Amino acid sequence: APIIQIDHLSKRYAGGTTALDDVSLSIEAGEILALLGPNGAGKTTLISIICGLVTPTQGTVRVGGHDIATDWRAARRMIGLVPQEIALEPFETVANSVRFTRGLYGAPPDEPHIEQVLRSLALWDKRDAPTKTLSGGMKRRVLIAKALSHKPQVLFLDEPTAGVDVQLRREMWQVVRELRASGVTIILTTHYLEEAEEMADRIGVIDRGKLLLVRPKDQLMGEFGRKQ
Ligand code: ADP
Ligand code: ADP
């Protein structure tokens, strides 16, 4: 069974914008899926619904078989979200910031896991540093560490490299590749075709609220090639 099953999902915001229009999608455990589309396509709305931050107008989402509308607590325990905006408490230490997020998910303390997450993101040496002293790349890795704090099976990254320079973009690509080895399912949004190509196994193209197609990366490149 897919780890995420989305059926006929639509979202119409108050004000009238149709941000999602009848989107259906299955996501398999262990894959990296990129949602590729221009600004305003509906990417953030889609992951915000799956993560329980936005209520859909129509349709259903199941995470690990749990319907988010009726069984939200069970679904949410399986999910970690790396938001687009860097929002860290500036005077909090790196380790405490990660512990705090784990607590928000209702997970009991697990120092070995906190250590493992910080080491895997090359943050262990910075564990006692206030987050405000970190570089931009380290802050992004702290956001990922927070999202992994409760051992989610699925990790969402919303525009993980928006507004970052080329070097940091490559660093983020490397981090995502390493995460895959840990078995976590990854869904990321991007408006860069190159980024989707670099990171994903499958690419879903989304535009004006519609999921136009979902293809294995190599196949998508082939189709684009033929059209040109
Ligand atoms: P993307 O992440 O692909 O840039 P979004 O999901 O953020 O797209 O936005 C999709 C559409 O929904 C856009 O037209 C956007 O302006 C609109 N939208 C997003 N959030 C809201 C909101 N809270 N209220 C009203 N309209 C919104
Ligand atoms: P800088 O020295 O880089 O200006 P700041 O202390 O302004 O550092 O902020 C460090 C990081 O913490 C920034 O990414 C900022 O977005 C975030 N931040 C600043 N103030 C707050 C706050 N009150 N709550 C949450 N995050 C904050």
Side-chain angles (χ1 to χ4, degrees), residues 13-14 17-19 37-46 84 158-159 189 206:
Y13 285 108
T17 303
T18 299
N39 286 326
K43 305 181 297 294
T44 298
T45 299
L46 179 55
Q84 199 171 331
D158 194 5
E159 297 269 358
T189 69
I206 182 165

Side-chain angles (χ1 to χ4, degrees), residues 123-162:
L123 289 168
W124 182 245
D125 291 346
K126 294 286 181 183
R127 62 189 177 278
D128 295 324
T131 62
K132 66 172 288 177
T133 65
L134 302 181
S135 69
M138 286 177 185
K139 282 179 185 168
R140 280 174 192 265
R141 281 186 271 132
V142 173
L143 294 180
I144 295 174
K146 287 161 77 72
L148 293 171
S149 63
H150 60 295
K151 299 188 194 174
Q153 286 96 327
V154 187
L155 183 68
F156 291 86
L157 298 126
D158 194 5
E159 297 269 358
T161 66

Side-chain angles (χ1 to χ4, degrees), residues 86-90 132 139:
I86 294 182
L88 293 169
E89 290 295 341
K132 66 172 288 177
K139 282 179 185 168

Side-chain angles (χ1 to χ4, degrees), residues 97-126:
S97 179
V98 176
R99 288 185 190 111
F100 175 75
T101 304
R102 185 175 165 87
L104 284 185
Y105 279 95
D110 183 343
E111 286 304 308
H113 178 62
I114 301 289
E115 176 171 346
Q116 187 238 305
V117 165
L118 291 177
R119 285 190 186 280
S120 72
L121 290 160
L123 289 168
W124 182 245
D125 291 346
K126 294 286 181 183

Side-chain angles (χ1 to χ4, degrees), residues 39-98:
N39 286 326
K43 305 181 297 294
T44 298
T45 299
L46 179 55
I47 69 172
S48 298
I49 290 172
I50 304 170
C51 294
L53 305 174
V54 169
T55 310
T57 311
Q58 269 188 323
T60 57
V61 177
R62 288 176 177 279
V63 181
H66 306 289
D67 187 328
I68 62 165
T70 56
D71 204 0
W72 168 238
R73 282 164 185 272
R76 161 192 154 128
R77 275 196 288 271
M78 298 183 65
I79 291 174
L81 170 64
V82 182
Q84 199 171 331
E85 297 297 322
I86 294 182
L88 293 169
E89 290 295 341
F91 300 104
E92 189 73 277
T93 68
V94 168
N96 279 339
S97 179
V98 176

